[in-house]
Amino acid sequence: MTDMLLTFYCAAVDRDGVADGLRHGTQAPLHLRDEQVLGRDFGDAVAGEQVRGALRRAAIDLIVQEEAVEPLVAIVTGVRRGHPVRWHACPVAARGRIA
């Protein structure tokens, strides 16, 4: 079984709803952080973000088994939110806990 780092990028105002949906779908710990996205891809930006040239987003990371990725993406798809969510999954080559 392959561990996957699954990251969802959502509008800051949608963070809590997306995180709550994920908490109901997995026992994996969720790591939340606020991000400011700079760039030229403003397809997901509201008018104020387009004017500023920066998007306020939240990133939610979790490590799950590969077969859990699709069901968790389906959960986020069904969560009530106001903005699009982008996501990606990457295999975890190594991990551990340092005490």
Side-chain angles (χ1 to χ4, degrees), residues 2-16:
T2 303
D3 284 340
M4 302 293 287
L5 172 62
L6 178 58
T7 304
F8 293 95
Y9 300 97
C10 61
V13 298
D14 291 334
R15 183 191 65 194
D16 292 340

Side-chain angles (χ1 to χ4, degrees), residues 39-85:
R40 305 205 186 282
D41 179 9
F42 293 111
D44 297 342
V46 297
E49 292 174 326
Q50 291 176 0
V51 170
R52 287 190 313 271
L55 288 74
R56 287 190 53 236
R57 294 291 177 264
I60 304 171
D61 293 321
L62 60 157
I63 296 176
V64 295
Q65 295 296 307
E66 186 173 17
E67 57 272 2
V69 170
E70 279 189 47
L72 291 172
V73 170
I75 286 172
V76 173
T77 300
V79 167
R80 188 176 192 180
R81 54 193 161 68
H83 304 281
V85 175

